[in-house]
């Protein structure tokens, strides 16, 4: 399992944006023999029982699945859902700014981060760029400039000695610097102005610092004027690493939710490893990684869209010759299916122990956290807890990974505290599917640099692997209505 931690670290480092998370995930799936399909095509001929596929939407959401050899329309889906995005700073559509001799770049806050942790960090830039090619068509290229270009400097303590706590304005004081105005490349400013007069929008070279556009163009091996638009974000260039006296921790950015995305995908891949793996399977095993969870999921590719619904509806009738199936297969499938909504959880903090209720205080490296909430901020209920316990148990013959059960922990938030939420409640309501909310415990959620347990990575991976392997056997016996 040590190699999985190493692979997780490089997965995190190569996934600074949701577009890159999807690209890193694709790489793992391709290596494991999953084939790409497209939403615009018909799947009736391309998708067959016993095979495995993936598709993407907006290049920032990815869904992978394997169809059991014994699948028939109306059968169950076993699904793990997680998210590809993390809170960050995104470059504004017009980002060009100058102040006191500094080149600055306008940024927009994405999600609910602890923005104070972004000060004095070395920030790189990543995302997608829309590029016009010679034939006039406009395509997308991913860019990842993995070196410190931007920085949001704090104010020296000498200049503000009486400040009691660190507070700042997110519009005016969270503004990165990108260089100095007397950079010779800024002389190119205005070089394209004439051309721009006939454009509906100002050219990219006018809306952003020309030296920045030049850097992007060099990185993508295109001409600056071929850059039409982009979606770029800043990220901390410090690499993910193991930490602690016995390497019991992982220190990294975006642990929420790349740890769950990675372990879910690896659980699926390992569950279909070997040519007989899907021989006796009657369900479809699926992992769905959604973009935009951190901003409420209500986008074309978010969990609160038709993306998963549309995919499940189309797959529910795969390999059916019966007309009646077309009308009922989806609903029959949903009543038998199960979703694990996988998102990181809050571990107890040694310096703020009172923030957890003592009987529900998850510890790092003590297993996957099952999240419950009486007010339905999480979707877990008793049948879900029962199923998960059966899944976590090590009592299956073909489980060669470990003889022991995957440890689980329970979490409810204190009554006097706010409770976060996940894609779990909204997907369970949208699909009418039995759902459990769970995730690995971590510290400093939504900091630019977070902390979780290295042993818990192994637990989550094993839990997802067993979920896919055992689901068809154990789910039917638990309150199937
Ligand atoms: Zn999350």
């Amino acid at each position: 399992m040590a190699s999985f931690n190493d692979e997780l670290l490089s997965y995190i480092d190569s996934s600074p944006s949701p577009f890159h998370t999807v690209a890193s995930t694709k790489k793992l799936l391709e290596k494991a023999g999953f084939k790409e399909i497209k939403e615009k095509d018909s799947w009736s001929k391309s998708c067959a029982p016993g095979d495995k596929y993936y598709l993407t939407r907006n290049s920032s959401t990815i869904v992978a699945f394997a169809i059991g050899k014994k699948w028939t329309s109306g059968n169950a889906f076993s699904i793990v859902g997680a998210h590809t995005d993390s809170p960050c700073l995104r470059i504004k559509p017009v980002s060009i700014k100058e102040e006191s001799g500094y080149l600055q770049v306008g940024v927009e806050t994405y999600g609910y981060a602890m923005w104070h942790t972004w000060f004095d960090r070395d920030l790189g830039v990543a995302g997608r760029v829309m590029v016009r090619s010679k034939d006039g068509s406009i395509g997308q290229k991913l860019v990842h400039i993995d070196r410190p270009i931007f920085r949001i400097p704090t104010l020296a303590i000498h200049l503000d000695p009486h400040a009691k706590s660190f507070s700042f304005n997110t519009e005016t004081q969270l503004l990165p610097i990108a260089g100095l105005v007397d950079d010779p490349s800024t002389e190119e400013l205005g070089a394209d102005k004439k051309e721009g007069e006939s454009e509906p929008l100002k050219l990219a070279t006018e809306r952003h610092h020309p030296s920045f556009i030049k850097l992007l163009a060099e990185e993508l091996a295109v001409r600056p004027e071929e850059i039409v638009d982009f979606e770029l974000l800043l990220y901390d260039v410090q690499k993910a690493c193991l930490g602690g006296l016995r390497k019991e921790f992982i220190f990294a950015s975006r642990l929420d939710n790349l740890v769950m995305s990675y372990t879910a995908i690896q659980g699926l891949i390992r569950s279909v490893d070997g040519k007989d793996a899907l021989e006796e399977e009657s369900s479809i095993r699926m992992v769905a990684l959604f973009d935009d969870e951190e901003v409420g999921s209500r986008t074309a590719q978010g969990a609160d869209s038709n993306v998963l619904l549309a995919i499940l509806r189309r797959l529910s009738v795969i390999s059916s010759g019966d007309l009646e199936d077309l009308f009922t297969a989806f609903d029959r499938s949903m009543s038998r299916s199960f979703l694990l909504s996988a998102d990181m959880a809050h571990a107890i903090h040694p310096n703020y122990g009172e923030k957890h209720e003592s009987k529900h205080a998850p510890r790092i490296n003590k297993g996957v956290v099952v999240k419950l909430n009486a007010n339905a901020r999480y979707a877990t209920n008793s049948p879900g807890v029962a199923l998960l316990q059966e899944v976590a148990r090590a009592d299956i013959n073909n489980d060669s990974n470990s003889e022991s059960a995957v440890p689980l922990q329970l979490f409810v938030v204190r009554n006097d505290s706010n409770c976060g939420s996940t894609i779990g409640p909204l997907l369970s309501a949208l699909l009418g599917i039995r759902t459990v909310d769970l995730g690995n415990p971590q510290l400093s959620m939504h900091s630019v640099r977070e902390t979780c347990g290295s042993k818990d990575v192994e637990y989550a991976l094993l839990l997802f692997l067993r979920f896919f392997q055992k689901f068809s056997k154990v789910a039917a016996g638990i309150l199937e209505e």
Side-chain angles (χ1 to χ4, degrees):
M1 283 288 177
S3 67
F4 281 105
N5 266 323
D6 290 342
E7 204 178 74
L8 168 65
L9 301 184
S10 61
Y11 180 83
I12 293 171
D13 289 336
S14 63
S15 307
S17 78
F19 308 110
H20 289 84
T21 308
V22 165
S24 316
T25 306
K26 260 167 116 166
K27 232 181 241 173
L28 296 174
L29 291 167
E30 295 270 353
K31 203 172 139 202
F34 284 70
K35 294 174 220 158
E36 182 164 19
I37 55 170
K38 305 260 184 200
E39 278 194 285
K40 64 183 175 194
D41 296 331
S42 162
W43 298 347
S44 54
K45 290 203 177 66
S46 53
C47 289
D51 224 334
K52 33 197 201 281
Y53 308 91
Y54 72 87
L55 66 147
T56 63
R57 191 185 274 193
N58 187 49
S59 309
S60 61
T61 284
I62 185 163
V63 178
F65 58 92
I67 309 175
K69 277 238 169 99
K70 298 205 165 152
W71 162 269
T72 56
S73 61
N75 276 13
F77 290 83
S78 51
I79 311 170
V80 181
H83 63 90
T84 59
D85 63 321
S86 300
C88 65
L89 293 170
R90 281 171 54 137
I91 295 181
K92 284 183 176 175
V94 179
S95 73
I96 191 163
K97 270 182 194 291
E98 270 183 36
E99 186 60 55
S100 312
Y102 295 98
L103 296 180
Q104 289 191 293
V105 171
V107 290
E108 211 178 352
T109 55
Y110 173 91
Y112 182 55
M114 295 197 281
W115 298 117
H116 62 274
T117 64
W118 283 69
F119 282 77
D120 291 347
R121 307 295 300 196
D122 301 349
L123 304 174
V125 62
R128 72 167 162 193
V129 181
M130 304 309 287
V131 177
R132 191 187 304 278
S133 47
K134 295 204 171 53
D135 64 4
S137 63
I138 296 172
Q140 153 190 313
K141 283 178 186 260
L142 297 195
V143 67
H144 180 183
I145 306 179
D146 194 25
R147 65 178 180 86
I149 296 172
F150 303 101
R151 195 164 174 102
I152 307 163
T154 46
L155 181 65
I157 194 165
H158 316 80
L159 301 181
D160 195 11
H162 305 298
K164 287 218 168 58
S165 64
F166 185 36
S167 64
F168 53 92
N169 180 294
T170 53
E171 179 59 39
T172 58
Q173 291 166 328
L174 188 66
L175 203 52
I177 53 172
L180 295 170
V181 173
D182 53 8
D183 178 336
S185 60
T186 58
E187 284 164 18
E188 295 156 30
L189 250 173
D192 293 303
K193 264 187 183 153
K194 245 193 179 139
E195 269 177 67
E197 283 166 9
S198 61
E199 300 285 333
L201 280 176
K202 282 185 176 181
L203 295 175
T205 42
E206 293 173 65
R207 290 189 278 133
H208 308 283
H209 288 296
S211 44
F212 178 57
I213 295 293
K214 195 167 157 237
L215 176 68
L216 276 183
E218 278 167 12
E219 200 70 26
L220 295 166
V222 301
R223 294 200 309 276
E225 56 274 23
E226 289 169 342
I227 293 178
V228 180
D229 198 38
F230 56 65
E231 289 168 51
L232 294 175
L233 56 82
L234 310 193
Y235 73 96
D236 185 352
V237 299
Q238 189 176 358
K239 299 283 177 243
C241 65
L242 295 173
L245 289 170
R246 287 175 289 124
K247 298 187 176 171
E248 52 270 75
F249 301 124
I250 294 175
F251 302 151
S253 301
R254 305 178 299 284
L255 292 173
D256 169 20
N257 197 20
L258 294 182
V259 172
M260 292 292 102
S261 295
Y262 172 79
T263 50
I265 281 291
Q266 279 297 355
L268 174 65
I269 287 174
R270 295 191 74 197
S271 85
V272 296
D273 193 18
K275 70 177 191 323
D276 297 333
L278 291 169
E279 209 62 41
E280 295 302 316
E281 180 58 272
S282 58
S283 306
I284 292 180
R285 303 174 182 178
M286 178 179 277
V287 171
L289 309 180
F290 302 95
D291 194 6
D292 298 319
E293 191 274 343
E294 299 293 359
V295 291
S297 299
R298 193 86 180 130
T299 60
Q301 59 281 348
D304 198 9
S305 74
N306 76 333
V307 63
L308 188 58
L309 182 77
I311 293 167
L312 294 173
R313 201 180 281 285
R314 290 171 71 171
L315 290 177
S316 66
V317 293
I318 284 281
S319 80
S320 166
D322 186 344
L323 197 62
E324 195 227 310
D325 272 359
L326 296 178
F327 299 102
T328 66
F330 172 75
D331 301 311
R332 286 189 285 127
S333 281
M334 287 306 97
S335 71
R336 291 172 178 158
S337 298
F338 215 96
L339 168 71
L340 301 185
S341 159
D343 208 340
M344 296 297 272
H346 299 294
I348 189 163
H349 192 302
N351 306 341
Y352 301 88
E354 73 284 0
K355 292 288 178 189
H356 277 76
E357 191 263 288
S358 63
K359 302 289 185 198
H360 300 91
R363 292 179 176 238
I364 282 187
N365 287 341
K366 295 291 181 197
V368 178
V369 179
V370 184
K371 307 179 212 174
L372 295 107
N373 183 258
N375 298 296
R377 301 288 290 166
Y378 301 128
T380 314
N381 57 11
S382 295
V385 175
L387 177 119
L388 207 61
Q389 283 190 84
E390 293 310 307
V391 163
R393 221 182 280 287
D395 56 0
I396 194 166
N397 294 336
N398 67 2
D399 183 2
S400 55
N401 301 286
S402 165
E403 289 307 307
S404 48
V406 178
L408 299 174
Q409 313 185 68
L410 294 169
F411 175 72
V412 296
V413 78
R414 284 174 59 109
N415 288 328
D416 57 2
S417 169
N418 285 335
C419 185
S421 192
T422 71
I423 59 171
L426 61 92
L427 279 176
S428 68
L430 188 72
L431 302 170
I433 188 173
R434 294 173 290 173
T435 301
V436 165
D437 268 295
L438 50 74
N440 278 6
Q442 72 161 98
L443 295 169
S444 319
M445 190 179 285
H446 292 191
S447 164
V448 77
R449 191 98 177 148
E450 302 171 326
T451 296
C452 73
S454 50
K455 181 83 180 153
D456 286 327
V457 173
E458 178 184 333
Y459 290 142
L461 205 157
L462 200 52
L463 184 70
F464 296 139
L465 170 64
R466 287 183 185 167
F467 171 65
F468 289 124
Q469 286 178 333
K470 292 189 192 181
F471 173 78
S472 293
K473 285 197 187 75
V474 301
I478 299 170
L479 195 74
E480 212 182 54
E481 286 168 322

